[in-house]
Structure formats: structure tokens, C-alpha cells
Amino acid sequence: MKRADCIKAIYPEFETCLVVTIMGACAQELYDLGHQENFFYLQHAMGLASSIGLGLALNLPQKRTIVLDGDGSVLMNLGTLATMARYRPANLIQIIFDNGSLLSTGGFVSHTASGITDLAAIAKGAGIPNVAAVSTIYDFMEAAAAAFDRRDLSVIVAKVEATGPDHFGMDLKLPENALRFERFIRENCKKIVENSRP
Amino acid sequence: MTVSRENSKALYQGIKAAGVRFITALPETWLIYLLQMAEDDPEMCLIEVAKEEEAVGIAAGAYFAGTPNVMLLQNHGFLGAINGIVSLAMLYRVPLCMLIAHRGHMGEPYPWHTQGGIVTEPVLRGLGIPFDYARDPAKIAKQIREAYTFSRSSLSPVALLLTRDLMEGEA
Ligand SMILES: Cc1ncc(C[n+]2csc(CCOP(=O)(O)OP(=O)(O)O)c2C)c(N)n1
């Protein structure tokens, strides 16, 4: 299974969501399907895509937030899995594309490469209430549909090949992305002002 | 010396007066009353993190979502969060308002705090992060308001260092 195919399969759902992606290959694959103002590409700060997603989801409970993550990035910030579980925003879905590789930085194998480290088990152990581990596109679609249907925090660990795009580049400067993303939310997402306590 | 409940109250009132309704924090002794007040306040959403760098991401998400927020942490947490501060907040021009307990400086009896305390100001300067020391409970509300305002106008991280003078007291 290829990550690009997974992202393509659920891309139509993204229109009504906020989407945060990790750097490099994953960001490029999303961008190549067509940029939308509700996409934020975290091109550095490894590990924090999930934390940004958590901050968005907690503060915009009526908006679904999707995080497109990677094994290397998640391994750098395992703590946020526990923080996510503790505050359990019902509108947050984290999809971890586990390619067993630090693909965007030269393809070094990661701790998950030979199945030694099991990110789905870690997510469960962190207390994430809904965790799916999938390795075929059919199972991915099913897990994604279930996550979109339920109103509860979900993590999908999708085992994918360590392949990415053959080109990199976006017509979007990093602060420009942040400014436009903030503006999009300000102009399009109704805020529930009173009591956002989880 | 214990943590000053009175001054913590002034600090918390300053946070509220600045319009803040969302706090990301990692607990630390000097922050004990602040965290209790946030926990007990139905108007406040308090998110306790596992590591301070996470709080940078969560604060960025809160900012994107339009929620006025501050981070509460100690200086060692600030030191541990630097890549997030540099590669998310500064790189993308995302404002952060950080209220940092400045452990390990003049009067510090605990050896383990000292190195972090000594390097905090030089690291802030090295990163070009605007900062100020908070020492006087009578001025704290104004300092928080101004730090928050400046983070939003400059689209950058701003730090307020909560000193021993402010945080410790008889009761
Ligand atoms: C703190 C830090 N260390 C190292 C790097 C170099 N780096 C860039 S991308 C990357 C790997 C990302 O791996 P993963 O999250 O699994 O995504 P993938 O590239 O495999 O899609 C690394 C280590 C970095 N950007 N930041």
C-alpha cells in the first residue's frame, strides 16, 4: 500500500476538515492533490503535527481535524498520544503512515521497520480509545470510514511502502501558509466561545 | 520559603484579564496555585502536557483556532521545547506567550536548577525572543497583557520570566 493512494482515497473528505500534515513526502503528496486553505503543512518541528491537531480539535469541537503523521515524527513525540488520550477530543483523527523509514531525510530505516516497535500498541497503551492497524487499501478505507463515522478520538496506523514523490516544491511560503490557515479558520469556522473545556 | 498564594492569585487574575481562556502547562512547584486556579475555573481550559515542546504545537493550534492562550512552564521546559519554538513558532510566525518560572537563579538553594537558570536569559537573547522579568505582583497583570499583545502584534514568541521575588512568599 502506498501513502499517496491512501491520501488520494480520502482526499474528498478533507474539504470539510482541518488537515495538518508532517513535512516532506507526505506534505508534497497532499499538496499535489490540490492545495486547500484548510491545509497546514508542518515542514519542520518534527513530532508537533499531532500537537497542533490536538490544539485545533480542542478549540474547534464542531470541526473535524485530521493529522497526517509519520512513524519517525510520532516516535519523536510519543507524549502527545498520551495527552490526546487524556483530553480525548471527539473530532480528532490521527493517521500515522508507518513506512518504517525516515523517508524525507534519505530513507534511513526507523525503529518500526522490522516490526520491532508497534505504534498501534503504543497508541493503545497511551489510552487512545479507537486504534486501527491496517496494511491494505481496503482495510484503510474501512478504518477511515469508521473513524469519520464515530464521534470519538481515533488513530489509524497504516503500514505503507517507503516511497514518496519524485519532486518537491510548493508555491506557498511557510508563514504564508500559517497566515492563510489562520484566516481561513477565522472566516469559516464558527467558534463556540463559551466553555471549550474537554 | 513557600510558593506565594497571593501573588499566584494576582498572576492568575492577570492571565484572565488579558482575555486568556486556554492554558497549556507542565506542572512545576512554583505553578502549583496557578494550575489549581485554572483547574477550578469553569471559564478556563487547562491542558497539561507530557513534555513542554508539545505545548508549543497545542498553543499554535489554539492560536489558529482563535483562542487567546498562554503557556505555563519552567525554564527547563523552555529549554526542552526549543526546536518547536524555532521550527514552528518562529519559522511560521506563530505567536506564543510563554510564562516561564525562572528557577535556578539568585537565591536558588537547589543545585539541579542552577545550570538551566544561568543559561535561560542568554538562550532567550540568542534566539532573539523578547522577554521581561516579572517581580512585582502590582505590575504583573500589565506585564502579562503587554507580553500577550506583543506576541500577537509581532507574530513571535514572547517570554515573561516569573522570578523568585514574585513566586515565593510566606503564604
Ligand atoms: C529535529 C529533527 N531531526 C531530524 C530531522 C531530519 N528529518 C527530516 S524528515 C525526517 C524523517 C521524517 O520521518 P517520518 O515522520 O516517518 O516521515 P517520512 O519522511 O518517512 O514520510 C527527518 C529525521 C528534522 N527535520 N528535525
Side-chain angles (χ1 to χ4, degrees):
Chain A
M1 175 164 66
K2 287 194 169 68
R3 173 174 53 200
D5 293 335
C6 296
I7 299 176
K8 193 174 176 185
I10 56 171
Y11 180 81
E13 298 292 332
F14 290 171
E15 198 183 331
T16 58
C17 304
L18 300 172
V19 183
V20 180
T21 165
I22 57 161
M23 65 199 310
C26 188
Q28 190 69 41
E29 285 169 357
L30 177 65
Y31 180 84
D32 288 347
L33 289 168
H35 173 65
Q36 295 176 21
E37 295 298 300
N38 50 326
F39 294 175
F40 183 72
Y41 311 89
L42 183 62
Q43 292 287 15
H44 221 267
M46 273 184 74
L48 294 191
S50 54
S51 311
I52 297 171
L54 178 57
L56 286 167
L58 288 167
N59 285 286
L60 296 165
Q62 76 289 11
K63 193 86 183 161
R64 194 182 293 283
T65 297
I66 314 289
V67 175
L68 304 180
D69 224 322
D71 48 298
S73 296
V74 169
L75 285 167
M76 232 186 246
N77 184 15
L78 291 173
T80 282
L81 283 169
T83 309
M84 280 163 53
R86 178 167 169 185
Y87 296 100
R88 198 170 171 169
N91 53 330
L92 180 61
I93 301 173
Q94 181 190 24
I95 302 173
I96 304 170
F97 291 111
D98 181 1
N99 57 11
S101 168
L102 304 174
L103 183 71
S104 304
T105 195
F108 301 91
V109 294
S110 83
H111 299 357
T112 67
S114 47
I116 296 169
T117 298
D118 179 347
L119 289 175
I122 290 175
K124 278 185 204 130
I128 303 292
N130 304 284
V131 180
V134 296
S135 53
T136 67
I137 190 80
Y138 179 83
D139 289 345
F140 175 77
M141 292 296 291
E142 206 168 54
F148 276 97
D149 277 347
R150 77 170 68 91
R151 293 293 298 173
D152 198 3
L153 173 64
S154 305
V155 168
I156 299 171
V157 180
K159 280 274 178 199
V160 293
E161 292 167 34
T163 53
D166 56 7
H167 62 279
F168 286 96
M170 294 185 184
D171 183 13
L172 188 65
K173 289 167 183 74
L174 306 185
E176 181 190 3
N177 185 198
L179 294 170
R180 281 164 55 174
F181 188 63
E182 187 271 341
R183 177 181 294 278
F184 172 84
I185 293 171
R186 188 155 31 91
E187 292 178 351
N188 295 280
C189 304
K190 257 209 205 76
K191 194 153 167 55
I192 297 171
V193 184
E194 278 312 307
N195 212 343
S196 60
R197 265 170 103 88
Chain B
M1 277 291 178
T2 55
V3 183
S4 168
R5 195 188 285 267
E6 277 309 302
N7 293 356
S8 297
K9 205 181 278 177
L11 232 162
Y12 190 70
Q13 281 163 356
I15 291 172
K16 286 293 291 278
V20 168
R21 292 297 177 268
F22 187 90
I23 295 174
T24 51
L26 200 124
E28 111 89 23
T29 310
W30 280 6
L31 305 177
I32 180 168
Y33 294 124
L34 281 172
L35 295 177
Q36 269 171 18
M37 286 179 254
E39 186 71 50
D40 293 344
D41 181 353
E43 284 181 348
M44 191 64 78
C45 178
L46 171 68
I47 302 297
E48 290 181 9
V49 294
K51 187 184 177 197
E52 289 85 348
E53 193 181 4
E54 271 185 81
V56 176
I58 298 171
Y63 155 74
F64 287 137
T67 308
N69 70 93
V70 295
M71 293 164 59
L72 276 179
L73 63 168
Q74 65 155 273
N75 44 352
H76 298 86
F78 159 71
L79 295 171
I82 285 178
N83 188 45
I85 293 168
V86 171
S87 295
L88 169 54
M90 296 172 86
L91 185 63
Y92 280 88
R93 304 221 61 114
V94 168
L96 293 179
C97 184
M98 303 182 285
L99 308 185
I100 302 173
H102 191 203
R103 307 303 306 256
H105 218 262
M106 297 303 176
E108 179 63 68
Y110 301 121
W112 47 88
H113 280 313
T114 57
Q115 274 310 308
I118 291 166
V119 304
T120 298
E121 182 180 318
V123 170
L124 283 164
R125 284 192 193 283
L127 294 171
I129 296 177
F131 66 93
D132 204 352
Y133 286 94
R135 305 180 196 280
D136 179 356
K139 295 192 182 134
I140 187 66
K142 179 167 182 278
Q143 284 188 296
I144 294 171
R145 187 176 70 242
E146 291 184 348
Y148 185 82
T149 299
F150 191 46
S151 69
R152 266 55 194 172
S153 61
S154 63
L155 299 176
S156 73
V158 171
L160 200 52
L161 296 172
L162 312 176
T163 61
R164 183 175 308 277
D165 284 350
L166 182 73
M167 299 315 295
E168 287 191 340
E170 294 309 333

